[in-house]
Amino acid sequence: MYDQPSSPYRIFLIPILLIFWGFVIVTAFRANPFLFQSQTLINSITHKKIEQQHPFPKPDHHLVKIQVDHPKELPEYQYTAPDSQRWSRKLALQKVQPLNFPDLKDVKYRLTSSDMFFWSSHSSIFYARPIEIDDRTEESSSAWSFQFVESEIPRNDPLITDQFVILTTSYKRIVVLVRKTGQLLWSLTVDYDIQQSPALIEQQLLVSLYDDETQQSYLKSFDLVNGTPGTFHLELSGRLSAPLLYHSDSHSLFVATEERELLHVQTPSGDILWKHTTPSKVVTQPNLIDDQLLINTADQTTYSLKLMSPEINWDYKLKGIAQHPFIVIPSSHFVAVMTDGGYLHTIDYKTGKGVWRFNTQAKAQTSQIAAVRFSNQVIEERELKWHYKGWSIWAPCVENRICMFNPSEGNLIGRLSTAGELASMPLFSSDHKRLLILLKNAKDQIAKKAYDWGLGSYIELSQYKQELEDAQKKAEEEKAQAKAAAAQAKAAAAPTAGGPPESAPQSENRESDDP
Amino acid sequence: MQWIKDNTWEINQSKGLRYLGLVLSLIHIITFFQWNSLYSTPDTGTQIVCWSFFEKCKEAAFVTGNGGALYTYLGLAALSAFLFLLGPALTSRAWGLLATTFFLKLSIYLFDYRLYSNTHTLVFLVELAFLLVPNKRNLFKSLILVYFLTSGLFKLNTAWLTGFAFEPLHFAPKVNEWLAVLSLIAELTLPFFLLARKMKHIFIGVISLTIYHFLMGSFEGYFHLFIMTLLLVLFPVLNQEIHNEEQGYTFNSYLRPSPSKLWPPIGILVFLGLQALPFFLKLEWPTTPFELIRPSLPEECQQKSVAIYTSSTKILPNLLENVEQHTSCKTHIRLAALKDKCHELSQEKDFVTIYSSFVRRNFSESHFQTVFEMTDACGRTQK
């Protein structure tokens, strides 16, 4: 049909094609020398990277340089109690100082001697406010807030050191902020969910991560200052059931898992010194006291283990599940803990025998308790034993009350009324002249269903009720003179905050002494 | 003017070229539907990304308004297709409409970097050749051939030969590597069938390349498959026409002499020159909208931005959520997004500036390299 003309260029076609395909083949094999081998190119070029990365990417060093100057926005705050006032059990409400806190649902807080940190699992903002409970001369920090990415929320309790605030978030992110200014030091997104609060091992941040797919937990260390991955690495099966406990003297770590395993791990090597299977999972951070480890388990029992070998010293049956680690009462062998039923237990940790137990009937948000030392005058007045140097146990009790207990006898030696429901245990100034308590705010009380908890105010308490009442009366009188008659009547009818000192209802509330 | 008349005359004389005009108009119509879906989505519609050479695109953008530009584009393309269908009498008007559509499409394209794709690059060059360059049939064939060869040669690198592009198919890595090699061989051999004189070979080329694009559709996109099929189908038509002309070739008009045979090689050189431009200018591609996208291993990049207010700091979320991977790691795009954010936040009370850092690493790198770090990205810190 069609007579194809012969092209004069055809003679060059074959060499050109040969050169072209030669070039293609050589280039292809230079680009991938493993085509005819079982090894694959993708693995060979990522091998080193995977080794270095697995399972964590390198942190964001580049975030170290942020410089932010926050202006000081201290809340309005005045304290008028005279220095001559002394501490006693007769405490009364002196002043309620409302602060413009944002409305937060399920608010959580952390009080330190100079700052208050608060956050919520419903908000992507972490707040810090200075408090001035102490007359300290050092520079006070200023208020700041840190906003995460939208819908990113804080997870676990923050780790707060002198210099840094370490947060973990729902976006698998570790965020390290400068405590005074709130500026971002570094942040790091890790591969897995972060469970429990981070722990600090000298200058290393220890983070526990959980891989849902493999159901493995990873403990991994990072440099606190710049986020560089550390050498510590430990893999465990199952989630962690309680926060980590680091013992600096023995350079070791205690880890409890949901699989009922309690591990004693050497740092930084990660060697497991011993492993103990507990009858039930550990629910609170362990306590380490005099070479023995106290653990609270979900089966409502406290176990004491030896530090160097997992032998059980003693066990003690609690009434309810412990909500926090034990507090240690100084100058005694006593430890105390509060359980979910509101029972306050005091145990002699040397013998493992219960000293006493008390149903506080607490209805407060917090189940934290504290060990507080009274003045010599109070020891005398309340017939406390000098042997225990005035130490008492403070715990929330009944409704809007803090009860003070004699640690050796369990009798109620004092009670403190508050203007609202307790949200925290008191924070004392170093001279014990002042204290600060967080209360549930009035808004919450009105709209309990809408808001579970909120911080709307903090109050100061001072000792002499009479003085306070006098001061209040005086203030009211001054006000009454200045204002109209109707306002005067209103001011006079206002209830005196704090109320009269109440007698200790030790007999009616006391359930039983154990033993 | 005479140049345009010569070009329209050439189109008028050839049924195959009129079909090509019709196909190009149809491609415009298909393009409209693709772009319209992008701009009508609330999340992506307004997030225009500028080309590196046109940073102020957003100030002049007309696509994101009420969609008038896009519908005008559709109307012109549809009318042009209709006129090409009506026959040779209206060819010059169809040409005019197609040219207008071409420039309108180019305008839209230059306003948004997200529209950048190999398909559009090829269609632009083919259409430009169709509208303005003589010897259109041979030029069209040459451009398609050189497109495949360039695309194949661009795949001749480690990035492609790792088989990374085939990972979504979930084959073994070694299978992926060989699929990459086979695709390369396909692109470097099959197009030569299109230049054969025998119709049987041409059909083999068209069918095999269509199947190839169909198989590659999972990551090249089915839009690309559709457009390539439309263009490839023209080959038998054009070839038959050339064959018929060669058999009956007796008269050579002096008034309108046959177009020079130099035009196809010139077209190929222009095409290759455009692809080689970033090598000569030593710039990050693309320097022009007419460059093919080169296969590259996915880059990993992170931009951390923190909005700084007078009394608080706030981590900003990803500024480029709806931008494809191959564009999202481009420096100029990150800077542009940052600039937009500065402008947006400047309305807020107490806003000071944005701190931002951008790090990037390629597939084989274990560490990120800092591309930029700006403590005052908005340049408005007040001290």
Side-chain angles (χ1 to χ4, degrees):
Chain A
M1 78 182 236
Y2 177 68
D3 190 21
Q4 188 175 322
S6 61
S7 168
Y9 304 112
R10 181 163 284 193
I11 193 163
F12 298 110
L13 195 63
I14 293 172
I16 288 170
L17 278 176
L18 282 175
I19 292 168
F20 175 73
W21 277 105
F23 166 76
V24 168
I25 290 165
V26 168
T27 317
F29 275 93
R30 284 182 71 174
N32 184 357
F34 307 113
L35 266 175
F36 287 108
Q37 294 175 21
S38 60
Q39 189 181 0
T40 59
L41 180 62
I42 201 163
N43 287 346
S44 73
I45 63 173
T46 55
H47 181 66
K48 192 177 172 190
K49 180 182 168 188
I50 287 167
E51 264 189 354
Q52 287 190 7
Q53 272 205 300
H54 185 77
F56 307 103
K58 193 171 165 55
D60 313 322
H61 289 290
H62 52 280
L63 283 180
V64 174
K65 292 179 188 168
I66 299 180
Q67 294 294 333
V68 187
D69 295 321
H70 293 293
K72 287 186 178 178
E73 287 185 350
L74 296 173
E76 287 180 19
Y77 172 84
Q78 283 181 342
Y79 181 73
T80 52
D83 289 342
S84 59
Q85 290 178 353
R86 289 179 185 277
W87 175 251
S88 89
R89 80 177 185 90
K90 294 174 184 172
L91 295 156
L93 180 68
Q94 187 195 30
K95 185 181 180 186
V96 174
Q97 179 64 52
L99 284 176
N100 292 323
F101 284 110
D103 287 333
L104 291 174
K105 194 180 175 187
D106 293 332
V107 72
K108 293 171 185 168
Y109 65 89
R110 178 74 64 81
L111 283 174
T112 69
S113 57
S114 59
D115 305 288
M116 173 197 299
F117 300 94
F118 58 101
W119 67 98
S120 161
S121 56
H122 298 275
S123 165
S124 62
I125 309 177
F126 183 86
Y127 298 90
R129 293 280 184 276
I131 51 174
E132 292 186 346
I133 185 111
D134 244 335
D135 286 333
R136 293 182 305 172
T137 52
E138 67 184 66
E139 192 188 354
S140 172
S141 55
S142 50
W144 53 262
S145 64
F146 182 82
Q147 182 157 6
F148 304 103
V149 178
E150 197 178 350
S151 78
E152 183 180 25
I153 52 168
R155 279 265 174 88
N156 311 310
D157 286 352
L159 173 63
I160 296 167
T161 70
D162 289 344
Q163 290 178 302
F164 306 116
V165 176
I166 299 115
L167 306 169
T168 53
T169 76
S170 55
Y171 282 10
K172 304 175 185 174
R173 201 207 302 250
I174 306 165
V175 177
V176 178
L177 308 174
V178 176
R179 177 172 164 168
K180 276 198 171 179
T181 59
Q183 75 186 54
L184 182 64
L185 191 64
W186 58 267
S187 80
L188 167 67
T189 306
V190 291
D191 288 350
Y192 308 120
D193 277 338
I194 303 169
Q195 45 172 349
Q196 305 294 348
S197 304
L200 201 59
I201 302 179
E202 287 150 13
Q203 279 301 300
Q204 293 284 307
L205 193 63
L206 191 67
V207 183
S208 57
L209 308 162
Y210 181 69
D211 183 0
D212 271 325
E213 285 182 13
T214 60
Q215 299 190 336
Q216 285 251 323
S217 285
Y218 300 99
L219 293 185
K220 181 80 183 166
S221 64
F222 299 93
D223 189 285
L224 177 62
V225 178
N226 58 25
T228 313
T231 53
F232 185 86
H233 181 84
L234 184 66
E235 289 185 22
L236 302 164
S237 61
R239 284 183 178 278
L240 265 58
S241 63
L244 303 162
L245 175 69
Y246 176 64
H247 184 222
S248 56
D249 292 347
S250 63
H251 298 288
S252 60
L253 186 72
F254 295 92
V255 187
T257 71
E258 297 267 2
E259 313 282 322
R260 299 187 292 114
E261 282 191 335
L262 179 68
L263 292 96
H264 186 194
V265 182
Q266 189 72 52
T267 57
S269 67
D271 298 335
I272 295 173
L273 298 174
W274 54 255
K275 193 188 279 186
H276 176 70
T277 305
T278 52
S280 183
K281 71 174 183 183
V282 178
V283 289
T284 63
Q285 188 182 40
N287 289 80
L288 196 57
I289 309 162
D290 290 351
D291 288 346
Q292 62 172 310
L293 193 70
L294 301 186
I295 53 169
N296 292 312
T297 56
D299 61 354
Q300 306 183 359
T301 311
T302 298
Y303 294 92
S304 164
L305 304 174
K306 287 180 181 170
L307 177 61
M308 298 318 293
S309 62
E311 292 173 36
I312 296 177
N313 288 321
W314 51 260
D315 61 89
Y316 180 80
K317 196 75 182 167
L318 299 170
K319 210 166 174 65
I321 299 172
Q323 299 295 294
H324 291 279
F326 282 98
I327 59 154
V328 182
I329 317 297
S331 308
S332 71
H333 297 154
F334 302 148
V335 288
V337 72
M338 198 159 176
T339 58
D340 55 356
Y343 279 89
L344 182 63
H345 297 261
T346 302
I347 304 169
D348 185 334
Y349 66 80
K350 289 281 182 190
T351 62
K353 290 182 178 173
V355 184
W356 51 267
R357 186 175 70 200
F358 188 84
N359 184 4
T360 60
Q361 299 176 20
K363 291 173 184 168
Q365 177 198 20
T366 179
S367 59
Q368 281 183 336
I369 57 174
V372 181
R373 191 177 180 185
F374 278 119
S375 66
N376 292 350
Q377 188 186 345
V378 177
I379 295 173
E380 193 72 31
E381 279 177 12
R382 304 309 303 170
E383 299 172 354
L384 301 173
K385 288 181 181 172
W386 283 100
H387 174 66
Y388 297 117
K389 296 180 179 172
W391 283 99
S392 65
I393 300 169
W394 287 36
C397 64
V398 202
E399 196 172 359
N400 305 347
R401 299 284 188 277
I402 295 175
C403 291
M404 304 153 202
F405 299 94
N406 179 350
S408 59
E409 306 291 335
N411 56 317
L412 196 61
I413 54 176
R415 212 154 63 152
L416 171 65
S417 300
T418 55
E421 203 167 317
L422 277 175
S424 82
M425 283 307 286
L427 177 73
F428 296 90
S429 62
S430 54
D431 57 1
H432 273 202
K433 284 180 184 171
R434 302 173 187 175
L435 62 84
L436 181 147
I437 304 174
L438 294 180
L439 297 179
K440 203 172 157 186
N441 67 7
K443 188 176 177 182
D444 287 334
Q445 286 173 339
I446 294 164
K448 248 181 186 172
K449 285 178 186 171
Y451 297 92
D452 291 340
W453 286 103
L455 290 176
S457 63
Y458 71 82
I459 63 163
E460 284 180 61
L461 299 165
S462 184
Q463 50 273 53
Y464 295 115
K465 173 181 168 285
Q466 196 58 50
E467 280 185 25
L468 175 65
E469 282 181 347
D470 291 344
Q472 280 181 335
K473 274 180 188 170
K474 197 177 171 185
E476 279 171 11
E477 281 169 10
E478 283 172 4
K479 224 183 229 177
Q481 286 170 3
K483 290 186 176 178
Q488 279 178 16
K490 196 179 178 183
T496 12
E502 297 168 52
S503 60
Q506 54 212 58
S507 57
E508 63 190 53
N509 275 340
R510 191 174 179 90
E511 188 185 272
S512 65
D513 281 345
D514 190 5
Chain B
M1 214 44 202
Q2 186 59 40
W3 184 268
I4 293 171
K5 278 182 184 172
D6 288 346
N7 277 287
T8 49
W9 184 84
E10 189 184 344
I11 296 166
N12 212 9
Q13 293 302 107
S14 163
K15 202 174 182 182
L17 285 178
R18 287 202 303 278
Y19 283 150
L20 177 57
L22 176 65
V23 162
L24 290 171
S25 302
L26 289 175
I27 289 172
H28 282 305
I29 293 170
I30 298 162
T31 306
F32 162 80
F33 287 109
Q34 192 204 26
W35 289 0
N36 192 46
S37 67
L38 174 75
Y39 288 115
S40 57
T41 310
D43 287 344
T44 58
T46 53
Q47 293 187 352
I48 286 177
V49 179
C50 296
W51 288 79
S52 56
F53 50 81
F54 187 21
E55 288 180 358
K56 292 188 176 176
C57 71
K58 286 183 192 174
E59 293 167 21
F62 60 92
V63 191
T64 52
N66 52 14
L70 272 180
Y71 284 101
T72 309
Y73 171 62
L74 172 68
L76 287 172
L79 202 56
S80 161
F82 182 67
L83 292 184
F84 273 116
L85 270 178
L86 287 181
L90 294 166
T91 305
S92 55
R93 287 178 190 178
W95 183 95
L97 279 171
L98 189 64
T100 316
T101 317
F102 170 82
F103 287 110
L104 186 55
K105 178 184 177 181
L106 189 62
S107 309
I108 297 169
Y109 194 66
L110 292 178
F111 273 103
D112 198 345
Y113 181 72
R114 293 177 302 168
L115 306 177
Y116 179 42
S117 76
N118 278 353
T119 321
H120 292 306
T121 303
L122 175 68
V123 170
F124 272 128
L125 291 171
V126 165
E127 194 166 350
L128 199 63
F130 173 77
L131 290 170
L132 296 173
V133 186
N135 204 347
K136 298 178 196 305
R137 286 181 302 211
N138 288 323
L139 186 56
F140 169 74
K141 288 163 70 176
S142 307
L143 281 175
I144 298 289
L145 175 72
V146 79
Y147 165 78
F148 276 113
L149 293 182
T150 314
S151 171
L153 287 172
F154 277 163
K155 288 184 168 72
L156 200 58
N157 60 26
T158 305
W160 181 259
L161 292 171
T162 55
F164 198 91
F166 295 90
E167 283 219 329
L169 301 176
H170 302 293
F171 292 134
K174 190 50 79 181
V175 175
N176 291 342
E177 282 179 20
W178 276 103
L179 285 176
V181 172
L182 289 175
S183 71
L184 188 151
I185 292 170
E187 289 199 15
L188 292 179
T189 50
L190 296 179
F192 284 103
F193 282 96
L194 300 175
L195 299 183
R197 288 177 176 273
K198 289 185 178 173
M199 199 58 86
K200 184 176 75 179
H201 293 159
I202 292 171
F203 273 116
I204 289 172
V206 170
I207 292 167
S208 55
L209 280 170
T210 307
I211 292 170
Y212 168 72
H213 282 299
F214 180 75
L215 295 175
M216 299 284 279
S218 60
F219 52 86
E220 272 187 348
Y222 289 99
F223 174 75
H224 184 72
L225 162 71
F226 205 51
I227 301 300
M228 289 311 293
T229 309
L230 280 175
L231 293 175
L232 287 171
V233 163
L234 285 170
F235 270 84
V237 179
L238 291 175
N239 208 58
Q240 184 64 43
E241 199 174 75
I242 292 169
H243 174 71
N244 292 343
E245 277 182 14
E246 279 175 352
Q247 276 194 328
Y249 201 79
T250 51
F251 173 71
N252 191 3
S253 168
Y254 287 99
L255 196 61
R256 291 194 187 275
S258 297
S260 169
K261 287 184 178 178
L262 278 177
W263 285 113
I266 289 171
I268 290 171
L269 286 176
V270 169
F271 184 93
L272 294 176
L274 286 168
Q275 307 313 313
L277 210 57
F279 291 114
F280 295 122
L281 298 178
K282 294 185 177 172
L283 291 173
E284 192 181 41
W285 65 268
T287 47
T288 68
F290 305 114
E291 289 161 29
L292 298 183
I293 297 170
R294 288 142 210 220
S296 59
L297 289 170
E299 280 183 322
E300 233 180 307
C301 53
Q302 288 181 3
Q303 187 174 15
K304 302 279 180 187
S305 304
V306 181
I308 298 168
Y309 296 82
T310 48
S311 62
S312 65
T313 50
K314 178 180 167 187
I315 293 182
L316 296 173
N318 183 12
L319 302 179
L320 288 171
E321 277 179 5
N322 299 308
V323 178
E324 284 180 27
Q325 179 68 32
H326 78 269
T327 58
S328 66
C329 285
K330 297 277 177 195
T331 311
H332 78 273
I333 288 172
R334 294 284 173 167
L335 286 171
L338 201 57
K339 198 175 162 187
D340 290 344
K341 199 71 187 173
C342 279
H343 181 70
E344 182 190 328
L345 292 180
S346 63
Q347 315 298 324
E348 291 185 14
K349 197 186 164 191
D350 299 335
F351 172 70
V352 179
T353 187
I354 292 178
Y355 162 85
S356 186
S357 72
F358 180 55
V359 291
R360 190 166 55 190
R361 66 175 173 189
N362 67 33
F363 188 65
S364 59
E365 286 176 332
S366 61
H367 293 88
F368 284 102
Q369 307 293 327
T370 303
V371 181
F372 64 77
E373 179 170 2
M374 304 162 85
T375 49
D376 183 13
C378 304
R380 57 197 296 274
T381 310
Q382 293 170 359
K383 292 196 174 178

